[in-house]
Amino acid sequence: MSQRVSYYEFAPDGMKIMMDMEKYTKTTALERKLRELIKIRVSQINGCAYCLNMHTADARKMGETEQRIYCVSAWQECEFYTEAEKVALELAEHVTLIPTLRVPDELYQRVREHFDEKQYVDLVLIINQINSWNRISIAMGNRATEK
């Protein structure tokens, strides 16, 4: 299947909003590798091969290790993620699966042990942004391609 609709062509104003949010997320104080790990984990949950392909490649370019990329789906069982990374990945899972997991106060408190209020908001925005990209990509029929 090829891309169904040239969405940048038919909805340029909407896509500009998406790109403006993307630009904002890159300006946050959150570490670049953490942002990519979140994007990878959310894309795994949503089954978005296009975004997984893109963000694993981006993570490698930033110097992320293969071990950490491969194991992000089982982060709870790994000793090579920091506590801050683990709680951010847990938040990513909860926000992505919000109908069933919600974001309990206990999780919020654990996130706040590692991230201040602005960083918490930025984490939620990054998680929402990749969820939006996943849904756009899947709905538009984007496919992961070999380079």
Side-chain angles (χ1 to χ4, degrees), residues 42-43 46 48 51 129-139:
V42 170
S43 298
N46 290 326
C48 185
C51 292
Q129 180 72 359
I130 189 58
N131 270 289
S132 293
W133 280 125
N134 288 168
R135 283 153 175 75
I136 290 168
S137 183
I138 291 167

Side-chain angles (χ1 to χ4, degrees), residues 82-145:
T82 67
E83 289 305 311
E85 289 169 333
K86 287 181 176 185
V87 76
L89 290 167
E90 184 176 358
L91 179 65
E93 291 178 356
H94 277 254
V95 173
T96 300
L97 300 169
I98 208 158
T100 54
L101 295 182
R102 315 298 292 171
V103 179
D105 289 339
E106 178 273 329
L107 174 57
Y108 170 76
Q109 292 303 324
R110 286 190 294 114
V111 172
R112 288 301 313 286
E113 290 173 15
H114 301 278
F115 300 97
D116 64 27
E117 289 172 329
K118 176 155 181 359
Q119 290 171 320
Y120 177 79
V121 173
D122 287 341
L123 280 167
V124 172
L125 291 174
I126 289 165
I127 295 162
N128 277 285
Q129 180 72 359
I130 189 58
N131 270 289
S132 293
W133 280 125
N134 288 168
R135 283 153 175 75
I136 290 168
S137 183
I138 291 167
M140 297 300 171
N142 292 349
R143 301 299 237 190
T145 58

